[in-house]
Amino acid sequence: MHCIKDDVSASIDNGSSALAIGWPGWYVPSADSAANYMVSPTMAKEGAEAYNTSEYGTWCLGIPANSPNPELAMKLLQYIMSPEVQLESVKNGGVPCRYSVLQNEDVLKDYPHLSIVCDALDQGVYRPAIAEWTEFTNILGAEMGNIMAGTKTVEQGLEDAQLQLENLMA
């Protein structure tokens, strides 16, 4: 099965594309990647209002109130979040969320981009916790696709997305 994410990652690695990612852990290059990293600017122009540009979504872990085994779930979370497992995850393409790993000098020698991920996490905000999230992202994705394909102007795509999102959330 062909994966668009792989194409995007390859085009960044070979320097033919640039990408701004709202979720800091989405793109994880190989050790020999030519990609350069920076945290997305937080303002459109000098002196303008600053906004967070990174979004958390997959960085959230928790135990549902109706979990049949909350004690086992807690043990799993403690294991996954342990410094040792977070450190080991880097070797397997993982993106840790512990500062102790993201700022570890030995880790940064081989994975210098993790310092930028750390900066992005410092500036991040949590995505809305809404039941309509899948529909919400489908609407935004479709309209961004229309804009990128050139079938709609930026203004028209954003206006159409706004109207659809307002209807969804009404």
Side-chain angles (χ1 to χ4, degrees), residues 21-41:
I21 300 171
W23 287 10
W26 180 84
Y27 173 68
V28 182
S30 59
D32 60 352
S33 169
N36 291 319
Y37 287 84
M38 64 178 272
V39 175
S40 296

Side-chain angles (χ1 to χ4, degrees), residues 20-165:
I21 300 171
W23 287 10
W26 180 84
Y27 173 68
V28 182
S30 59
D32 60 352
S33 169
N36 291 319
Y37 287 84
M38 64 178 272
V39 175
S40 296
T42 59
M43 59 184 76
K45 62 182 180 178
E46 192 64 38
E49 186 174 351
Y51 295 93
N52 291 320
T53 56
S54 298
E55 185 173 356
Y56 304 140
T58 57
W59 296 85
C60 306
L61 294 173
I63 303 169
N66 64 348
S67 174
N69 298 297
E71 300 83 14
L72 289 175
M74 178 56 82
K75 286 183 181 182
L76 176 62
L77 289 181
Q78 288 170 333
Y79 171 78
I80 291 169
M81 298 305 298
S82 71
E84 300 79 20
V85 170
Q86 289 279 297
L87 189 59
E88 189 64 27
S89 75
V90 175
K91 298 174 191 171
N92 297 303
V95 179
C97 58
R98 295 186 70 92
Y99 281 106
S100 63
V101 179
L102 289 169
Q103 297 173 341
N104 181 300
E105 289 182 20
D106 291 331
V107 170
L108 293 175
K109 285 178 192 168
D110 292 327
Y111 306 94
H113 66 280
L114 290 180
S115 68
I116 305 302
V117 170
C118 187
D119 291 344
L121 289 172
D122 276 342
Q123 295 181 16
V125 294
Y126 286 95
R127 70 169 175 83
I130 56 175
E132 302 86 358
W133 184 250
T134 300
E135 294 168 87
F136 194 98
T137 58
N138 287 342
I139 290 169
L140 283 177
E143 292 303 334
M144 287 192 303
N146 290 332
I147 293 167
M148 290 188 291
T151 59
K152 291 186 180 181
T153 64
V154 172
E155 294 77 16
Q156 188 61 56
L158 292 176
E159 189 176 306
D160 290 351
Q162 182 73 32
L163 180 63
Q164 292 174 66
L165 293 171

